[in-house]
Amino acid sequence: VAAARCATEARPDWAAGFATLGRALLNEGRLQDAVEALAKASSLATATAITAAATQGDVELAEELAQELPEARALLARHWAEHHDVVVGAPSL
């Protein structure tokens, strides 16, 4: 995670760096952070993939992230549904 975070700080426009960070965070179980990193990666990858200078690798990364991001979001939603169903009420006076 630390190396991927350094990569994204050095190259904040690098989709592969954010994809690596998101995957590493997902493997650590840091679901919210993973979804945020994968969303950033997807946005960057999609923007790159539609340019004339896009490589096959750029297009493939955008396609991979188009599948991975919804899966990560679903995992996060399932986690919240299973583990955070406590309703917090106003304190009684």
Side-chain angles (χ1 to χ4, degrees), residues 12-15 39-55 58-59 61-63 65:
D13 60 341
W14 188 34
K40 176 76 172 177
S42 181
S43 175
L44 291 168
T46 300
T48 301
I50 61 172
T51 66
T55 66
D58 294 329
V59 173
L61 180 60
E63 291 171 351
L65 291 166

Side-chain angles (χ1 to χ4, degrees), residues 9-71:
E9 290 169 0
R11 296 260 323 266
D13 60 341
W14 188 34
F18 281 97
T20 300
L21 177 59
R23 291 166 179 159
L25 290 165
L26 195 59
N27 286 335
E28 284 191 352
R30 295 171 54 188
L31 302 178
Q32 181 66 46
D33 294 335
V35 167
E36 290 171 10
L38 290 171
K40 176 76 172 177
S42 181
S43 175
L44 291 168
T46 300
T48 301
I50 61 172
T51 66
T55 66
Q56 182 63 31
D58 294 329
V59 173
E60 289 173 2
L61 180 60
E63 291 171 351
E64 288 172 14
L65 291 166
Q67 292 179 340
E68 290 177 37
L69 181 56
E71 291 171 2

